[in-house]
Amino acid sequence: MQEKGWRSILLGEFVTLQRGFDITKKEQEAGPYKVYSSSGPNSTHSKYQVKGPGVIIGRKGTLGTAFYSDEDFWPHDTTLWVKDFHGNDPKFAYHFLKSMRLEQYDCGASNPTLNRNHIHLIPVSVPLVPIQQKIATILSTYDDLIENNFRRIKILEEMAQTLYREWFVKFRFPGHQKVKMVNSPLGKIPEGWGVKNLLDWVDVKYGKTLPKAMMEESAPYLVYGAAKVIGRYKEFNRERPTIITGCRGSCGQVTITRPKSFITNNSFFFDFDNKSFEYGYFLLGNRGLNDCIGGTAQPQITLESLSGIQVIVPSSTTLILFHELCEPFFRQMRVLSEKNDVLYKTRNLLLPKLISGELDVSELDITIPEANA
């Protein structure tokens, strides 16, 4: 039975989708407009093709993704974008398309592909615009909180990064005026600091093998593959936050795991002691490990390729002081990330119930933001 205020139509009557515009990396010029591919906004260009607000979904390669842009943008040929909202609320359209699991309509032979003419014919049930605006406002509140936490995390990391550069790149650490600069294999460094081989200074180890089939969505602990989360597992193999990098497939990105995580053998972990943890993270991140990537069948980093890395090791006093200043930043970043986990989980639980009308919001007194009203 149709809910009051809802109507059954075809997706193509709700929104008209249009294929994106081809552009190569070489053709892109530095500019303010985001270029959306099927995996999201990965580059920018000096020109745009579509005026915002707009909605983009993955058409080729990565299907089922959905992105919202307040600003003018360039939808890449690997996407579909909403050419006509037919008077519907753009934010609601974004959430609606995101909830449709469009990857199930793959019609590609060798490469996953969505055909707009096929998905335009999908029967859907959508509410009238006033209800759309209420649903979009509820879901956007979660998105805004998540985005705000991301911004705070970025600011905290930039603050610690600035301190790192000041102390360990420009050598303007507390008391530096009284310290003589001396020669080293890596150039002039403060007296009392040293240069060591990375593997002599910190233990670097592979994670452990964990078949994908053993992971469970409801398990308590995050699993890190090539330096990114790939699932959850019932056990963890690292209790404290750990610095890792991918060593097979996607290599070289440096990241920090959550406490009590499982690290697979597609990552190396760097076992820095407490006082060197924050320094080690920025040291590896700023240096980068791309020069260590080898492999023929697939990119990989080996212990042997890491063995030639020499690094500056500051004095113990300086490392301790840096740790005492930066550890609160890192702790706050973890707290904000964990808050985002809860927000994501709650929003994802609400999304299908709101979009389907299972949760009736028609009688709720919700203030619609002026931009959406």
Side-chain angles (χ1 to χ4, degrees):
M1 179 179 165
Q2 186 74 49
E3 295 289 337
K4 183 182 175 185
W6 291 65
R7 58 198 174 116
S8 295
I9 55 177
L10 299 178
L11 181 63
E13 296 173 301
F14 174 58
V15 291
T16 299
L17 294 163
Q18 180 71 42
R19 184 168 167 167
F21 304 88
D22 198 14
I23 186 170
T24 65
K25 284 278 185 187
K26 275 189 175 179
E27 291 169 333
Q28 294 176 29
E29 303 166 345
Y33 303 108
K34 291 179 181 174
V35 177
Y36 284 82
S37 70
S38 60
S39 59
N42 294 322
S43 57
T44 59
H45 189 40
S46 58
K47 299 174 184 172
Y48 66 88
Q49 286 283 5
V50 181
K51 291 193 73 65
V55 177
I56 310 101
I57 61 174
R59 180 189 74 84
K60 198 154 195 165
T62 306
L63 309 184
T65 50
F67 309 96
Y68 181 85
S69 176
D70 274 319
E71 301 165 338
D72 304 338
F73 60 97
W74 184 298
H76 191 264
D77 179 53
T78 57
T79 68
L80 296 172
W81 58 282
V82 177
K83 183 179 180 181
D84 190 341
F85 288 98
H86 299 295
N88 292 295
D89 184 82
K91 271 276 177 73
F92 175 82
Y94 156 68
H95 291 296
F96 189 87
L97 291 168
K98 191 174 182 178
S99 72
M100 286 188 68
R101 305 178 72 88
L102 290 168
E103 64 272 18
Q104 64 185 301
Y105 300 102
D106 174 17
C107 64
S110 58
N111 196 11
T113 305
L114 281 184
N115 183 316
R116 69 188 179 99
N117 295 321
H118 292 172
I119 60 176
H120 274 164
L121 300 177
I122 300 172
V124 295
S125 176
V126 296
L128 300 178
V129 171
I131 298 177
Q132 290 181 17
Q133 291 174 331
K134 289 184 178 182
I135 292 173
T137 299
I138 293 170
L139 294 171
S140 295
T141 300
Y142 284 90
D143 286 343
D144 291 346
L145 288 170
I146 291 168
E147 183 58 33
N148 186 47
N149 283 341
F150 275 131
R151 281 198 293 269
R152 292 173 66 190
I153 290 170
K154 187 178 176 187
I155 290 170
L156 288 165
E157 180 158 348
E158 285 174 351
M159 289 168 66
Q161 174 82 262
T162 300
L163 200 60
Y164 168 85
R165 289 183 178 279
E166 194 69 11
W167 288 27
F168 302 113
V169 178
K170 299 178 181 176
F171 299 126
R172 291 202 288 250
F173 53 92
H176 69 94
Q177 302 90 339
K178 298 176 183 175
V179 178
K180 189 168 66 174
M181 298 296 286
V182 298
N183 291 323
S184 84
L186 295 179
K188 295 275 189 183
I189 61 171
E191 189 173 46
W193 294 23
V195 171
K196 289 187 177 180
N197 186 289
L198 177 66
L199 300 188
D200 291 335
W201 184 44
V202 58
D203 280 339
V204 183
K205 297 176 181 173
Y206 287 99
K208 292 187 176 179
T209 302
L210 180 65
K212 188 86 176 172
M214 295 181 69
M215 299 180 202
E216 301 171 22
E217 194 174 340
S218 59
Y221 305 113
L222 294 177
V223 177
Y224 288 81
K228 65 179 182 181
V229 175
I230 58 170
R232 307 184 78 93
Y233 187 49
K234 61 184 179 182
E235 297 176 3
F236 60 88
N237 60 3
R238 293 290 295 175
E239 181 150 14
R240 63 179 183 138
T242 302
I243 298 169
I244 62 173
T245 187
C247 62
R248 293 188 187 90
S250 179
C251 297
Q253 182 186 348
V254 178
T255 192
I256 299 175
T257 69
R258 297 284 180 80
K260 296 185 176 178
S261 294
F262 194 102
I263 301 170
T264 72
N265 60 342
N266 285 328
S267 282
F268 280 126
F269 64 86
F270 300 85
D271 213 0
F272 288 98
D273 60 26
N274 281 344
K275 72 175 185 298
S276 308
F277 184 84
E278 293 80 13
Y279 172 75
Y281 171 65
F282 288 124
L283 173 74
L284 295 175
N286 281 275
R287 184 201 178 280
L289 298 170
N290 287 342
D291 58 329
C292 302
I293 299 174
T296 51
Q298 67 169 342
Q300 63 173 332
I301 297 177
T302 63
L303 281 174
E304 185 180 358
S305 65
L306 293 176
S307 65
I309 296 178
Q310 289 190 311
V311 296
I312 294 175
V313 180
S315 68
S316 183
T317 305
T318 309
L319 283 175
I320 290 171
L321 190 53
F322 186 70
H323 166 67
E324 289 175 347
L325 286 172
C326 289
E327 193 277 334
F329 294 161
F330 279 62
R331 186 165 10 104
Q332 184 61 22
M333 286 190 281
R334 280 197 296 277
V335 169
L336 291 169
S337 292
E338 287 165 2
K339 282 184 178 178
N340 271 359
D341 286 350
V342 175
L343 289 168
Y344 272 125
K345 191 173 180 179
T346 308
R347 188 198 60 180
N348 291 341
L349 285 171
L350 281 174
L351 180 63
K353 295 179 186 292
L354 289 169
I355 292 294
S356 67
E358 183 181 341
L359 283 179
D360 182 13
V361 300
S362 59
E363 301 299 324
L364 294 182
D365 184 15
I366 295 173
T367 302
I368 308 299
E370 195 172 330
N372 298 342

